[in-house]
Amino acid sequence: MRGILFRYGDLLPLTKATPRLSLCEGQTPLIPLTNLGSDLAVDLCVKFEGANPTGSFKDRGMVLAVAKAIEGGAKAVVCASTGNTSAAAAAYAARANLPCFVLLPSGKVARGKLAQALIYGARVISVRGNFDRALDLARKASEELGLAIVNSVNPYRLLGQQSAAWEICDELGEAPDRLVIPVGNAGNISAYWAGFNRYRELGRTRDLPQMIGVQAAGASPLVEGHPFDEPETVATAIRIGRPVNAEKAKEAVRESGGRFLAVSDEEILAAQRLLASREGIFAEPASCASLAGLLRLHREEGLPEGIRIVAVLTGNGLKDPDAALNQVPEMVEIDDRWESLREVLAR
Ligand SMILES: *Cc1c(COP(=O)(O)O)cnc(C)c1O
């Protein structure tokens, strides 16, 4: 069987009683960006987390969180979500035969993600408020009703997410020089940092990467140094004003000698088009914040030639078709005659 609990079981807190849940998550491709890498004169790869079973990295932590919830006797799981956490929670809960309740900020969830939560059979509740408020409510439901909360406040989520760092090191034989990653609730950057450190302690790698955390300008509490009460960005997966894992993420950036930076929605969307049109890779807007951040760093301070950089593409572009369709030209429509087609092709 493939999957995180099988491949990295020796590094995870599994017991005999932990069900070996799997949707064959993980082992996602590390794709060299041959065109953009040579433009920037660096050795650039992307970790394409959109290849996970529900289309985002959230599967890595969710498989462990749900397995542990079952081990602990939970009767149902609950989460608040900007979309991808709910898709993953709903899928693994379905697999494990557990009811799943998801709280989504009204009108701010990409359509693909909403479709996923619903088709996997979760009870979806739309909250008239932002993600941070939905999370407060999910925590309350967990405390009052004993539902297992599977947001990244659940420590098993971040443990499972370390597996992405391990895969990168296993494939490269070493940690990269820099890791560039989008930051919303700041769990994933913390998990990668813990994962790289774990591998170094085990003697599987020698060095640690510099951690570069990229936020959307309209939701950039870690860059600006204060919470955002009304976070706003086209990158809905990182539209978070009060990151739960802020302290851990700051530590990762400080200890690694890295930095946080913010990019505008225009930069994020331009990076999305660039990645698709120059490399054939379609990632959702939040994911493209990592590439946008890298381009900005290259512009503003330059990048040492030839260094090895891994940018994390956290989620699949198909999750948010509207974000893509809103920025591309309309298609050409013709009648069904050859002459009409010939005329269009000759333009
Ligand atoms: C969840 C998510 C993020 C943000 O990860 P955090 O751990 O909240 O910082 C970024 N991109 C995508 C696609 C996500 O689903």
Side-chain angles (χ1 to χ4, degrees):
M1 191 69 150
R2 284 179 45 190
I4 300 302
L5 306 195
F6 292 87
R7 182 143 187 238
Y8 292 112
D10 57 329
L11 300 180
L12 297 171
L14 306 183
T15 71
K16 281 208 182 65
T18 316
R20 296 317 196 251
L21 195 59
S22 170
L23 282 170
C24 300
E25 62 288 327
Q27 284 181 274
T28 53
L30 187 64
I31 310 173
L33 296 193
T34 39
N35 298 321
L36 296 174
S38 80
D39 288 359
L40 303 180
V42 293
D43 176 357
L44 177 59
C45 293
V46 288
K47 182 71 170 157
F48 186 59
E49 292 289 278
N52 275 298
T54 79
S56 87
F57 74 86
K58 299 296 199 298
D59 294 349
R60 296 177 180 278
M62 197 57 75
V63 67
L64 185 61
V66 173
K68 284 302 209 180
I70 296 166
E71 182 179 344
K75 294 285 170 281
V77 298
V78 64
C79 67
S81 176
T82 58
N84 283 331
T85 293
S86 63
Y92 286 92
R95 186 83 161 173
N97 225 343
L98 273 184
C100 174
F101 301 92
V102 307
L103 307 182
L104 303 177
S106 291
K108 296 296 183 181
V109 171
R111 282 204 302 161
K113 303 177 189 181
L114 186 58
Q116 285 182 292
L118 291 165
I119 197 82
Y120 293 133
R123 274 282 300 282
V124 178
I125 301 144
S126 180
V127 177
R128 286 193 296 273
N130 62 28
F131 167 81
D132 305 281
R133 283 297 300 141
L135 180 57
D136 292 341
L137 290 173
R139 283 175 130 149
K140 186 86 176 154
S142 167
E143 282 157 24
E144 299 284 322
L145 306 176
L147 311 178
I149 187 161
V150 293
N151 279 101
S152 57
V153 294
N154 178 318
Y156 297 116
R157 289 275 309 282
L158 299 197
L159 280 173
Q161 286 175 26
Q162 291 188 28
S163 60
W166 302 336
E167 287 178 12
I168 290 171
C169 295
D170 285 341
E171 187 160 344
L172 298 178
E174 199 33 86
D177 297 313
R178 295 197 192 174
L179 186 96
V180 190
I181 182 169
V183 173
N185 225 356
N188 209 27
I189 187 172
S190 309
Y192 269 86
W193 181 237
F196 287 123
N197 276 281
R198 187 85 184 280
Y199 250 38
R200 195 173 69 146
E201 283 152 22
L202 290 169
R204 297 190 187 179
T205 49
R206 229 179 10 196
D207 301 315
L208 293 166
Q210 260 182 25
M211 304 292 287
I212 314 286
V214 189
Q215 299 207 288
S220 52
L222 292 167
V223 180
E224 300 296 332
H226 60 76
F228 277 51
D229 288 328
E230 315 249 319
E232 205 45 82
T233 168
V234 66
T236 50
I238 52 174
R239 183 174 168 269
I240 293 175
R242 296 174 183 274
V244 168
N245 293 291
E247 289 315 313
K248 281 194 205 122
K250 285 189 217 165
E251 217 173 272
V253 162
R254 191 176 54 241
E255 286 176 4
S256 71
R259 59 176 288 191
F260 289 110
L261 73 162
V263 290
S264 67
D265 280 5
E266 292 68 34
E267 287 174 279
I268 289 172
L269 293 173
Q272 186 185 37
R273 293 191 301 272
L274 192 68
L275 193 61
S277 63
R278 301 252 355 258
E279 300 283 358
I281 298 170
F282 186 23
E284 66 169 285
S287 305
C288 299
S290 60
L291 179 61
L294 186 66
L295 294 173
R296 177 180 273 249
L297 277 184
H298 178 259
R299 246 189 350 261
E300 288 184 353
E301 52 192 60
L303 296 169
E305 199 175 320
I307 62 167
R308 179 176 266 171
I309 303 175
V310 172
V312 182
L313 296 179
T314 45
N316 198 302
L318 294 170
K319 290 201 170 247
D320 192 351
D322 299 319
L325 288 169
N326 287 341
Q327 54 169 328
V328 291
E330 295 255 318
M331 0 178 223
V332 179
E333 188 176 313
I334 57 168
D335 59 37
D336 60 358
R337 292 172 310 119
W338 161 239
E339 291 71 29
S340 311
L341 178 60
R342 193 176 52 196
E343 188 197 317
V344 170
L345 297 185
R347 266 182 220 159

